[in-house]
Amino acid sequence: MQIYVDTANINHIRHCAELGFISGVTTNPSLLAKEDPSVDIRQRILEIYDLIGGHLSVEVNSTDTNGMIAEADEILSWFPNATIKIPMIPEGLSAVRKLSNKGIPTNVTLIFSANQAIAAANAGATYVSVFMGRLDDISFDSVGVLQDICEIWDVQDYESLIIAASVRNPLHIIESARAGADIATVPYNVIIQSLKHPLTDAGLNAFLKDYQKMTELKSSLNK
Ligand code: G3P
């Protein structure tokens, strides 16, 4: 399972690019607005693309099919490798079909059920983004929904890649991988949290102390 970072924060994306195991970035209008509501969106998206160089999903803000297609054309004029993020509404599915017919990659967002995922796959979505945290927020078992979708994908051989989105904690990453998601898009703080383990820190401290002892002993013997 690949890991993307779900953010529009330049410093966090820069750090993720250095980490070496993050292969893409997903953004949405809320993430862009959180950083700097006055930012020029084109400029920010291009800054992000320069840093990550891999997958970058950029969301449209229209709710009608033609508006979505026009926005997709504009985003693609900024950089041709863009994946166009489209909301899971009927007008969005029509846009996905039209973009898919032209070979343009799409990421259908705001998917909360297997029915929605099936519709998006049949419309030709390249990616289907299944939201976990927001389902958990309403006491609905997000892992169960993701497992259902992964199971259906195996049975039906759908080609759309499954993204676990709205990830809120490291356990969501493990559950997504276990279910069979292709990608988890994860907020920066959760990525960092997921790398930590107290035994790693304790073990490294012990190694460093022992190495220090050895170098001190060697230097005292050489005197
Ligand atoms: O990838 C979708 C994500 O940005 C939504 O996350 O935490 O706002 O539900 P959240």
Side-chain angles (χ1 to χ4, degrees):
M1 184 180 77
Q2 292 183 57
I3 306 288
Y4 294 170
V5 61
D6 194 28
T7 185
N9 181 291
I10 288 295
N11 290 331
H12 292 169
I13 292 169
R14 186 174 291 116
H15 186 210
C16 284
E18 282 163 8
L19 286 173
F21 72 96
I22 308 291
S23 41
V25 177
T26 53
T27 58
N28 64 36
S30 305
L31 291 171
L32 282 160
K34 193 167 126 189
E35 293 311 316
D36 176 4
S38 68
V39 78
D40 176 70
I41 293 179
R42 175 183 174 276
Q43 193 187 324
R44 174 52 48 91
I45 293 295
L46 288 178
E47 265 178 281
I48 294 173
Y49 186 63
D50 273 353
L51 284 174
I52 203 78
H55 173 100
L56 176 53
S57 282
V58 185
E59 189 157 343
V60 298
N61 297 291
S62 306
T63 51
D64 64 292
T65 305
N66 287 341
M68 290 182 205
I69 303 280
E71 276 193 70
D73 286 342
E74 194 192 339
I75 295 165
L76 291 161
S77 76
W78 303 343
F79 70 109
N81 294 339
T83 294
I84 310 299
K85 210 169 174 188
I86 306 269
M88 175 55 233
I89 54 176
E91 296 80 356
L93 294 176
S94 303
V96 168
R97 167 50 60 207
K98 291 191 163 86
L99 292 170
S100 164
N101 286 347
K102 291 199 271 180
I104 295 164
T106 54
N107 174 356
V108 177
T109 187
L110 292 166
I111 289 182
F112 294 94
S113 73
N115 290 105
Q116 291 180 320
I118 290 168
N122 284 327
T126 319
Y127 302 89
V128 293
S129 284
V130 183
F131 276 43
M132 301 188 75
R134 293 188 195 190
L135 278 172
D136 293 343
D137 289 346
I138 57 160
S139 303
F140 205 91
D141 174 22
S142 66
V143 175
V145 171
L146 189 62
Q147 282 170 340
D148 280 351
I149 294 171
C150 291
E151 197 183 322
I152 291 165
W153 254 233
D154 283 345
V155 173
Q156 296 291 336
D157 246 352
Y158 282 128
E159 283 181 8
S160 314
L161 297 174
I162 299 171
I163 301 184
S166 185
V167 164
R168 300 276 176 80
N169 55 60
L171 202 50
H172 274 155
I173 304 176
I174 296 172
E175 297 290 8
S176 304
R178 203 203 311 269
D182 298 286
I183 298 139
T185 188
V186 184
Y188 175 78
N189 65 317
V190 178
I191 289 178
I192 299 304
Q193 214 181 353
S194 74
L195 302 181
K196 290 191 190 300
H197 197 289
L199 291 179
T200 305
D201 295 341
L204 180 60
N205 277 339
F207 289 155
L208 292 174
K209 268 190 197 150
D210 288 338
Y211 178 73
Q212 180 72 20
K213 265 190 228 158
M214 282 169 65
T215 27
E216 281 169 10
L217 185 64
K218 272 188 206 151
S219 77
S220 71
L221 288 175
N222 287 338
K223 274 181 190 163

